[in-house]
Amino acid sequence: GAGVSQSPRYKVAKRGQDVALRCDPISGHVSLFWYQQALGQGPEFLTYFQNEAQLDKSGLPSDRFFAERPEGSVSTLKIQRTQQEDSAVYLCASSLSHRGGGALGTQYFGPGTRLTVL
Amino acid sequence: AQSVAQPEDQVNVAEGNPLTVKCTYSVSGNPYLFWYVQYPNRGLQFLLKYITGDNLVKGSYGFEAEFNKSQTSFHLKKPSALVSDSALYFCAVRDLISGNTPLVFGKGTRLSVIA
């Protein structure tokens, strides 16, 4: 079946522009996560949804970052007034369940969106 | 707080030789451990995970990992490396007790398999 998809794959923005990054999770997956991966680093957690509810947004670096998942499927990560430090790969992951144990908790990742802010 | 350490930025190994990519972790409760692989311009691909049970976990592409509770380690291994295994490898942990759902990743180890 289809995996997690993300669009666009690449985005170049001028400093100050707003951007929107889209994530289509695996069909039926309850949980959806956004991570930010800076160059040469591991992914870092941004925010988490269970269905349409945003249960954890503790990783969002500033109030310029906003995420939504209005119908419990597709999610959008929006960054307002982009800054150069926002340049990174933004990864989306989904899992069948939020619960820790078993296969349900395994997160499957999309290819990411590489954002470059000039 | 949870943390993961991958002490080696780069591991070089000759094709056909065994490989080990090291990972140590810190959690307050019981760990839920993962290995992911990342190829250029692609997302993270799941390799294997440990929850409970046998300390030796087998995963995709012939990889395996050994959970060692006393050493808080979860090293990734493969008996015979292939050139196609060259990629960036990430170890990650979740703390089951706290119910904290996000993964905490290490910085990654770049594996280079030389023909």
Side-chain angles (χ1 to χ4, degrees), chain A residues 18-118:
Chain A
D18 298 348
V19 298
L21 312 180
R22 177 188 169 105
C23 173
D24 282 85
I26 294 172
S27 178
H29 277 198
V30 168
S31 298
L32 186 146
F33 303 81
W34 284 98
Y35 293 85
Q36 181 190 59
Q37 185 177 17
L39 188 64
Q41 302 295 319
E44 293 189 355
F45 170 73
L46 292 176
T47 187
Y48 157 60
F49 291 86
Q50 183 182 338
N51 295 308
E52 68 279 2
Q54 189 175 19
L55 299 187
D56 187 346
K57 54 181 180 180
S58 61
L60 295 177
S62 77
D63 59 6
R64 296 186 295 104
F65 286 71
F66 171 77
E68 60 183 5
R69 195 186 185 198
E71 298 179 358
S73 178
V74 171
S75 177
T76 303
L77 176 67
K78 298 179 180 178
I79 309 174
Q80 296 176 324
R81 305 182 302 282
T82 52
Q83 304 295 316
Q84 286 188 324
E85 61 263 28
D86 300 334
S87 295
V89 175
Y90 291 85
L91 295 168
C92 175
S94 69
S95 67
L96 270 171
S97 169
H98 70 290
R99 298 191 183 278
L104 300 181
T106 299
Q107 294 180 25
Y108 295 92
F109 284 78
T113 295
R114 182 178 297 277
L115 173 64
T116 302
V117 182
L118 303 176

Side-chain angles (χ1 to χ4, degrees), chain B residues 9-70:
Chain B
D9 291 337
Q10 173 95 27
V11 170
N12 298 318
V13 63
E15 187 176 30
N17 282 3
L19 69 88
T20 298
V21 182
K22 296 179 180 178
C23 171
T24 58
Y25 66 90
S26 174
V27 295
S28 55
N30 291 323
Y32 185 19
L33 293 155
F34 295 81
W35 276 101
Y36 285 85
V37 60
Q38 188 174 38
Y39 295 98
N41 298 317
R42 297 179 66 177
L44 300 173
Q45 294 181 29
F46 169 72
L47 276 181
L48 52 80
K49 66 179 182 288
Y50 171 83
I51 310 167
T52 60
D54 290 341
N55 289 341
L56 186 64
V57 177
K58 293 189 182 297
S60 306
Y61 313 119
F63 284 93
E64 58 190 27
E66 186 169 10
F67 172 66
N68 187 316
K69 187 173 183 178
S70 63

Side-chain angles (χ1 to χ4, degrees), chain B residues 5 7 22 41-42 47-48 52 66 76-77 80-81 83-84 86 88-89 94 102-104 109-110:
Chain B
K22 296 179 180 178
N41 298 317
R42 297 179 66 177
L47 276 181
L48 52 80
T52 60
E66 186 169 10
L76 181 70
K77 300 180 180 183
S80 178
V83 172
S84 58
S86 299
L88 192 55
Y89 290 80
R94 285 174 56 189
L103 291 169
V104 174
T109 298
R110 186 166 300 281

